[in-house]
PDB file of all heavy atoms in Angstrom:
ATOM      1  N   GLY A1025      -0.655  -2.179   1.414  1.00 98.00           N
ATOM      2  CA  GLY A1025       0.646  -2.645   1.868  1.00 98.00           C
ATOM      3  C   GLY A1025       0.649  -4.163   1.940  1.00 98.00           C
ATOM      4  O   GLY A1025      -0.342  -4.773   2.348  1.00 98.00           O
ATOM      5  N   HIS A1026       1.754  -4.767   1.515  1.00 98.00           N
ATOM      6  CA  HIS A1026       1.908  -6.223   1.509  1.00 98.00           C
ATOM      7  C   HIS A1026       3.239  -6.601   2.147  1.00 98.00           C
ATOM      8  O   HIS A1026       4.165  -5.792   2.193  1.00 98.00           O
ATOM      9  CB  HIS A1026       1.899  -6.764   0.074  1.00 98.00           C
ATOM     10  CG  HIS A1026       0.645  -6.492  -0.679  1.00 98.00           C
ATOM     11  ND1 HIS A1026      -0.414  -7.366  -0.686  1.00 98.00           N
ATOM     12  CD2 HIS A1026       0.270  -5.439  -1.441  1.00 98.00           C
ATOM     13  CE1 HIS A1026      -1.380  -6.876  -1.435  1.00 98.00           C
ATOM     14  NE2 HIS A1026      -0.989  -5.702  -1.907  1.00 98.00           N
ATOM     15  N   THR A1027       3.340  -7.841   2.604  1.00 98.00           N
ATOM     16  CA  THR A1027       4.600  -8.386   3.121  1.00 98.00           C
ATOM     17  C   THR A1027       4.832  -9.766   2.509  1.00 98.00           C
ATOM     18  O   THR A1027       3.933 -10.348   1.899  1.00 98.00           O
ATOM     19  CB  THR A1027       4.573  -8.564   4.658  1.00 98.00           C
ATOM     20  OG1 THR A1027       3.612  -9.562   4.992  1.00 98.00           O
ATOM     21  CG2 THR A1027       4.225  -7.260   5.361  1.00 98.00           C
ATOM     22  N   ASP A1028       6.038 -10.272   2.727  1.00 98.00           N
ATOM     23  CA  ASP A1028       6.273 -11.672   2.392  1.00 98.00           C
ATOM     24  C   ASP A1028       5.752 -12.515   3.554  1.00 98.00           C
ATOM     25  O   ASP A1028       5.200 -11.989   4.512  1.00 98.00           O
ATOM     26  CB  ASP A1028       7.748 -11.930   2.082  1.00 98.00           C
ATOM     27  CG  ASP A1028       8.670 -11.636   3.250  1.00 98.00           C
ATOM     28  OD1 ASP A1028       8.200 -11.587   4.415  1.00 98.00           O
ATOM     29  OD2 ASP A1028       9.874 -11.465   3.019  1.00 98.00           O
ATOM     30  N   ALA A1029       5.903 -13.827   3.469  1.00 97.00           N
ATOM     31  CA  ALA A1029       5.343 -14.720   4.486  1.00 97.00           C
ATOM     32  C   ALA A1029       6.302 -14.991   5.640  1.00 97.00           C
ATOM     33  O   ALA A1029       5.993 -15.795   6.512  1.00 97.00           O
ATOM     34  CB  ALA A1029       4.918 -16.037   3.841  1.00 97.00           C
ATOM     35  N   ARG A1043       3.517   0.138   6.367  1.00 98.00           N
ATOM     36  CA  ARG A1043       4.053   0.387   5.019  1.00 98.00           C
ATOM     37  C   ARG A1043       3.067   1.244   4.212  1.00 98.00           C
ATOM     38  O   ARG A1043       3.458   2.222   3.577  1.00 98.00           O
ATOM     39  CB  ARG A1043       4.306  -0.958   4.341  1.00 98.00           C
ATOM     40  CG  ARG A1043       4.982  -0.896   3.023  1.00 98.00           C
ATOM     41  CD  ARG A1043       5.417  -2.287   2.589  1.00 98.00           C
ATOM     42  NE  ARG A1043       6.618  -2.656   3.324  1.00 98.00           N
ATOM     43  CZ  ARG A1043       7.012  -3.902   3.551  1.00 98.00           C
ATOM     44  NH1 ARG A1043       6.310  -4.922   3.100  1.00 98.00           N
ATOM     45  NH2 ARG A1043       8.107  -4.136   4.225  1.00 98.00           N
ATOM     46  N   GLY A1068      -1.045  -7.684   4.871  1.00 97.00           N
ATOM     47  CA  GLY A1068      -0.153  -8.721   5.381  1.00 97.00           C
ATOM     48  C   GLY A1068       0.430  -9.582   4.283  1.00 97.00           C
ATOM     49  O   GLY A1068       0.742  -9.111   3.193  1.00 97.00           O
ATOM     50  N   GLN A1071      -1.776 -11.962   0.159  1.00 96.00           N
ATOM     51  CA  GLN A1071      -1.954 -11.814  -1.286  1.00 96.00           C
ATOM     52  C   GLN A1071      -0.591 -11.756  -1.980  1.00 96.00           C
ATOM     53  O   GLN A1071      -0.209 -10.722  -2.531  1.00 96.00           O
ATOM     54  CB  GLN A1071      -2.764 -10.564  -1.606  1.00 96.00           C
ATOM     55  CG  GLN A1071      -4.193 -10.661  -1.141  1.00 96.00           C
ATOM     56  CD  GLN A1071      -5.008  -9.437  -1.544  1.00 96.00           C
ATOM     57  OE1 GLN A1071      -4.582  -8.594  -2.302  1.00 96.00           O
ATOM     58  NE2 GLN A1071      -6.210  -9.356  -1.015  1.00 96.00           N
ATOM     59  N   PRO A1072       0.149 -12.869  -1.969  1.00 97.00           N
ATOM     60  CA  PRO A1072       1.446 -12.854  -2.660  1.00 97.00           C
ATOM     61  C   PRO A1072       1.246 -12.666  -4.160  1.00 97.00           C
ATOM     62  O   PRO A1072       0.170 -12.931  -4.701  1.00 97.00           O
ATOM     63  CB  PRO A1072       2.040 -14.230  -2.346  1.00 97.00           C
ATOM     64  CG  PRO A1072       0.864 -15.088  -2.029  1.00 97.00           C
ATOM     65  CD  PRO A1072      -0.170 -14.185  -1.415  1.00 97.00           C
ATOM     66  N   LEU A1073       2.287 -12.198  -4.816  1.00 97.00           N
ATOM     67  CA  LEU A1073       2.220 -12.043  -6.265  1.00 97.00           C
ATOM     68  C   LEU A1073       1.981 -13.399  -6.916  1.00 97.00           C
ATOM     69  O   LEU A1073       2.558 -14.407  -6.483  1.00 97.00           O
ATOM     70  CB  LEU A1073       3.520 -11.433  -6.789  1.00 97.00           C
ATOM     71  CG  LEU A1073       3.741  -9.976  -6.393  1.00 97.00           C
ATOM     72  CD1 LEU A1073       5.165  -9.558  -6.717  1.00 97.00           C
ATOM     73  CD2 LEU A1073       2.743  -9.087  -7.090  1.00 97.00           C
ATOM     74  N   PRO A1074       1.141 -13.451  -7.936  1.00 96.00           N
ATOM     75  CA  PRO A1074       0.877 -14.728  -8.613  1.00 96.00           C
ATOM     76  C   PRO A1074       2.171 -15.365  -9.121  1.00 96.00           C
ATOM     77  O   PRO A1074       3.011 -14.692  -9.701  1.00 96.00           O
ATOM     78  CB  PRO A1074      -0.029 -14.341  -9.777  1.00 96.00           C
ATOM     79  CG  PRO A1074      -0.647 -13.048  -9.364  1.00 96.00           C
ATOM     80  CD  PRO A1074       0.386 -12.348  -8.523  1.00 96.00           C
ATOM     81  N   SER A1076       4.646 -16.441  -7.439  1.00 95.00           N
ATOM     82  CA  SER A1076       5.839 -16.221  -6.621  1.00 95.00           C
ATOM     83  C   SER A1076       5.787 -17.090  -5.371  1.00 95.00           C
ATOM     84  O   SER A1076       4.719 -17.497  -4.923  1.00 95.00           O
ATOM     85  CB  SER A1076       5.959 -14.749  -6.213  1.00 95.00           C
ATOM     86  OG  SER A1076       4.995 -14.424  -5.239  1.00 95.00           O
ATOM     87  N   ASP A1077       6.947 -17.349  -4.824  1.00 96.00           N
ATOM     88  CA  ASP A1077       7.045 -18.017  -3.526  1.00 96.00           C
ATOM     89  C   ASP A1077       6.586 -16.999  -2.481  1.00 96.00           C
ATOM     90  O   ASP A1077       7.055 -15.856  -2.493  1.00 96.00           O
ATOM     91  CB  ASP A1077       8.491 -18.432  -3.283  1.00 96.00           C
ATOM     92  CG  ASP A1077       8.691 -19.146  -1.963  1.00 96.00           C
ATOM     93  OD1 ASP A1077       8.057 -18.759  -0.953  1.00 96.00           O
ATOM     94  OD2 ASP A1077       9.507 -20.082  -1.938  1.00 96.00           O
ATOM     95  N   PRO A1078       5.686 -17.350  -1.576  1.00 97.00           N
ATOM     96  CA  PRO A1078       5.206 -16.392  -0.579  1.00 97.00           C
ATOM     97  C   PRO A1078       6.321 -15.779   0.278  1.00 97.00           C
ATOM     98  O   PRO A1078       6.138 -14.705   0.839  1.00 97.00           O
ATOM     99  CB  PRO A1078       4.247 -17.212   0.288  1.00 97.00           C
ATOM    100  CG  PRO A1078       3.778 -18.302  -0.613  1.00 97.00           C
ATOM    101  CD  PRO A1078       4.963 -18.622  -1.498  1.00 97.00           C
ATOM    102  N   ASN A1079       7.470 -16.450   0.356  1.00 97.00           N
ATOM    103  CA  ASN A1079       8.585 -15.927   1.144  1.00 97.00           C
ATOM    104  C   ASN A1079       9.495 -14.993   0.354  1.00 97.00           C
ATOM    105  O   ASN A1079      10.401 -14.401   0.919  1.00 97.00           O
ATOM    106  CB  ASN A1079       9.414 -17.070   1.727  1.00 97.00           C
ATOM    107  CG  ASN A1079       8.633 -17.835   2.770  1.00 97.00           C
ATOM    108  OD1 ASN A1079       8.045 -17.259   3.670  1.00 97.00           O
ATOM    109  ND2 ASN A1079       8.602 -19.146   2.637  1.00 97.00           N
ATOM    110  N   ASP A1080       9.277 -14.859  -0.951  1.00 97.00           N
ATOM    111  CA  ASP A1080      10.123 -14.007  -1.781  1.00 97.00           C
ATOM    112  C   ASP A1080      10.006 -12.541  -1.372  1.00 97.00           C
ATOM    113  O   ASP A1080       8.915 -12.047  -1.077  1.00 97.00           O
ATOM    114  CB  ASP A1080       9.757 -14.131  -3.259  1.00 97.00           C
ATOM    115  CG  ASP A1080      10.272 -15.412  -3.891  1.00 97.00           C
ATOM    116  OD1 ASP A1080      11.088 -16.111  -3.261  1.00 97.00           O
ATOM    117  OD2 ASP A1080       9.835 -15.715  -5.018  1.00 97.00           O
ATOM    118  N   ALA A1081      11.136 -11.855  -1.431  1.00 97.00           N
ATOM    119  CA  ALA A1081      11.181 -10.437  -1.082  1.00 97.00           C
ATOM    120  C   ALA A1081      10.308  -9.578  -1.988  1.00 97.00           C
ATOM    121  O   ALA A1081       9.844  -8.515  -1.575  1.00 97.00           O
ATOM    122  CB  ALA A1081      12.624  -9.950  -1.123  1.00 97.00           C
ATOM    123  N   GLU A1082      10.039 -10.039  -3.206  1.00 97.00           N
ATOM    124  CA  GLU A1082       9.213  -9.241  -4.123  1.00 97.00           C
ATOM    125  C   GLU A1082       7.788  -9.046  -3.598  1.00 97.00           C
ATOM    126  O   GLU A1082       7.070  -8.168  -4.051  1.00 97.00           O
ATOM    127  CB  GLU A1082       9.183  -9.856  -5.516  1.00 97.00           C
ATOM    128  CG  GLU A1082       8.526 -11.209  -5.587  1.00 97.00           C
ATOM    129  CD  GLU A1082       8.633 -11.855  -6.972  1.00 97.00           C
ATOM    130  OE1 GLU A1082       9.184 -11.252  -7.884  1.00 97.00           O
ATOM    131  OE2 GLU A1082       8.138 -12.978  -7.104  1.00 97.00           O
ATOM    132  N   ASN A1083       7.399  -9.838  -2.629  1.00 97.00           N
ATOM    133  CA  ASN A1083       6.072  -9.680  -2.033  1.00 97.00           C
ATOM    134  C   ASN A1083       6.016  -8.541  -1.013  1.00 97.00           C
ATOM    135  O   ASN A1083       4.943  -8.171  -0.565  1.00 97.00           O
ATOM    136  CB  ASN A1083       5.615 -10.994  -1.394  1.00 97.00           C
ATOM    137  CG  ASN A1083       5.251 -12.001  -2.449  1.00 97.00           C
ATOM    138  OD1 ASN A1083       4.404 -11.745  -3.291  1.00 97.00           O
ATOM    139  ND2 ASN A1083       5.916 -13.145  -2.436  1.00 97.00           N
ATOM    140  N   ARG A1084       7.167  -7.977  -0.681  1.00 98.00           N
ATOM    141  CA  ARG A1084       7.218  -6.794   0.185  1.00 98.00           C
ATOM    142  C   ARG A1084       6.994  -5.597  -0.728  1.00 98.00           C
ATOM    143  O   ARG A1084       7.929  -5.078  -1.321  1.00 98.00           O
ATOM    144  CB  ARG A1084       8.577  -6.693   0.867  1.00 98.00           C
ATOM    145  CG  ARG A1084       8.935  -7.873   1.705  1.00 98.00           C
ATOM    146  CD  ARG A1084      10.354  -7.735   2.229  1.00 98.00           C
ATOM    147  NE  ARG A1084      10.862  -9.020   2.615  1.00 98.00           N
ATOM    148  CZ  ARG A1084      12.141  -9.339   2.636  1.00 98.00           C
ATOM    149  NH1 ARG A1084      13.061  -8.457   2.301  1.00 98.00           N
ATOM    150  NH2 ARG A1084      12.515 -10.545   2.989  1.00 98.00           N
ATOM    151  N   ARG A1085       5.752  -5.155  -0.801  1.00 98.00           N
ATOM    152  CA  ARG A1085       5.423  -4.141  -1.799  1.00 98.00           C
ATOM    153  C   ARG A1085       4.227  -3.298  -1.379  1.00 98.00           C
ATOM    154  O   ARG A1085       3.552  -3.623  -0.405  1.00 98.00           O
ATOM    155  CB  ARG A1085       5.108  -4.817  -3.129  1.00 98.00           C
ATOM    156  CG  ARG A1085       3.821  -5.638  -3.090  1.00 98.00           C
ATOM    157  CD  ARG A1085       3.670  -6.543  -4.291  1.00 98.00           C
ATOM    158  NE  ARG A1085       2.340  -7.102  -4.393  1.00 98.00           N
ATOM    159  CZ  ARG A1085       1.889  -8.125  -3.678  1.00 98.00           C
ATOM    160  NH1 ARG A1085       2.682  -8.717  -2.782  1.00 98.00           N
ATOM    161  NH2 ARG A1085       0.654  -8.580  -3.837  1.00 98.00           N
ATOM    162  N   VAL A1086       4.005  -2.256  -2.153  1.00 98.00           N
ATOM    163  CA  VAL A1086       2.823  -1.421  -2.015  1.00 98.00           C
ATOM    164  C   VAL A1086       2.184  -1.357  -3.399  1.00 98.00           C
ATOM    165  O   VAL A1086       2.876  -1.173  -4.397  1.00 98.00           O
ATOM    166  CB  VAL A1086       3.178  -0.003  -1.513  1.00 98.00           C
ATOM    167  CG1 VAL A1086       1.958   0.898  -1.523  1.00 98.00           C
ATOM    168  CG2 VAL A1086       3.770  -0.073  -0.118  1.00 98.00           C
TER     169      VAL A1086
END
Side-chain angles (χ1 to χ4, degrees):
H1026 299 269
T1027 66
D1028 61 20
R1043 186 169 283 156
Q1071 293 183 9
L1073 291 169
S1076 72
D1077 180 322
N1079 292 311
D1080 284 349
E1082 65 186 358
N1083 287 303
R1084 301 175 200 154
R1085 68 193 192 281
V1086 174

